Amino acid sequence: MDARVVAGVETSAPLDPPEPGVRIRLLGPLTVSRKGESLTLPASRKARALLAYLALAPRPVSRGHLCELLWDGPHDPRGELRWCLSKIRGVIDDTARHRVIAHDDAISLDLTDCAVDAIEVARAMQTGVALLSATRARALVASVAGDFLDGLDVERSANFTGWLVAQRRQFRSAHAALLEHLSTTLPDAQALPYIDTWLQLAPFDMQAHRRLLRVLAGLGRINDGERHLACTIAQFDAEGLSAARLPRDWQEARAQAFTAPAAGSAPSFSPDPLRPSEADRGRALAATRRASVAMMPLHDLSADAAAGRHGMADALAHDVITRLAKLRSLFVIAQGTVQALHQRHIGAEQAGRMLDVDYVISGTLRRDGARLTVSVELVETRTARIVWTEVFAQTLDDVFQVLDEIGNRIVACVASEIEMVERNRAILKPPNSLDAWEAHHRGLWHMYRFNPADNERARHFFALAVRLDPSFARAYAGLSFTHFQNAFQGWAEREPDMDQAMEAARQSLLADERDPAASWAMGRALWLRGRHDEAVTELQRSIELSPNFAQGHYSLAFVQAQAGDAQAAIASSDHSRMLSPFDPLLFGMLGARAIALVRLGQFDTAADWAVKAAGRPNAHPHIFGIAAYSLALAGRLDEARTHAQAICRLHPAYRLADFLAAFRLDADGAARFRKGAERIGMA
């Protein structure tokens, strides 16, 4: 059963329709009104549950699915479904419009002229709560009259109950995110009521307590702050939770409140209360800040899960936690902690707030005979925004192999999606406000543009990151890559940048020799120096340190494709694409495969892969060179000349000599690419 029907809502209802035909309130007790007058709802709980489910469904739902949702083996479930639909029609249909749509076997509601509060909130979350105006956020908060479908529970309907619980958790989290947004954007006095509501909703959310203490300090209510601090510590202790950081936060809030305002003025309002002080700034610079993530235990929906027959859900969650930790780029909450929260029936969103992490991974696992289905989603804790979701379905030919493959894909996708979110967030911040973590991700944003100007900006931000935190291995690795690019692309004099690529890689290893990115940087730097075997060894080490490090697999393919084992290069390229199918370096993964195929004499296949590489939006001239020469070798001269023209547009003076100077091809490979260049006059 889909636990997040609302997540796919697109155009079911306008955001703020003028005089809607019908208003449906789902956040609180279910109500339906027309022109301000409440309509009488069916007495049947299942009819009301069906109305709510269809109101949120992003697409038509089959009758069979609805029968499984609400009826547990009645004599005539389809007959009961027809009866419920007739009752719903009596509520929301009118003479001018039929809103219950039955098309063949599918049922849907036409709500294009209606307003549904839950849909409006869900859209705001997906658009981004940070983009909401205070007026809009206040309106959304005011629309929340209680829990989702408050009081509407349906007995002996396990599937509906599972959906209802998931929706309640999601909308409680969305409500908390809206309250947090208002509490951090409004002036202190106006924010206080929203913080109080936030704490009622999420009493163990450390950020809510931290924000309240800052507001109380800013308003000069020191005694109230002291009392709240003492009560909070006692409350956390009673639940076996730690509030050890809170006294320090309170002291810093008091210090800021007393030192920030000018004499005789009111306390100043900070638009970023989570890191406004120099003391907070110092902590951020003292140690590498990493994005934090909690992988919650997967809910096992298999028929034999209650008997503990196989334990695959726990095994997969443990595997994902272990692999994420090996990446070294994320702070990962230990399994024991998340398991303890899970056993207390604390949902993923609430757990994320209690643990004060940036992201939460949750999902379900279902084994049905030889079929395994795993549904996973990644949520940004503070905004309740679903960053990524996927369903993995495979046949259990080999249980361990299937779990390994699914675990690999979850880890790679989660790491990639978090990096993208962090990059996009960093690019929006003023450069002089960045900490080491943000400067590193700002550098990544520019690095993946693959042009001289952006590469220089990337170098600047990586250098800033290592100045702010000299122990930040990944920032050194990024710095090494910018020098690698200068040498490989011919954007600068090669020798100095080759030396600097090597030195930055060495610094990365000194900072953290167990970070796979450090070995990755060293492997590429060694390759630049023509030390093929050492480069392969270092890149293999990056994969040993973290089998899910997609760029390690790609770089191994890149090196092996040119002068090593071409078949191994193809395997590494395929594996890197499986791990990270939307990687910014996807053009390189495809290009490495094409080079290996040229060396194997499979010119037509090589040309197909090279064309795919050149079709990527950030492909550089060398990638177009691979495509042009491969196409020429395959006898596809018109296509080859088209790609040659693309090279000229990017780099008018580009010739085969530039291509051969960049790559470290063996003699046979160089001869083949030379032959391709000769066929289109680029030799």
Side-chain angles (χ1 to χ4, degrees), residues 172 200 202 312 423 599 607 682:
R172 282 176 68 88
Q200 293 172 22
M312 284 192 293
R423 287 202 313 263
R599 288 182 56 217
M682 289 190 67

Side-chain angles (χ1 to χ4, degrees), residues 488 527 558 562 595 622 626 658-665:
F488 176 68
W527 175 85
F558 173 82
Q562 299 169 57
I595 292 174
H622 293 324
I626 297 171
D658 300 296
F659 183 87
L660 296 179
F663 292 100
R664 297 282 187 268
L665 293 160

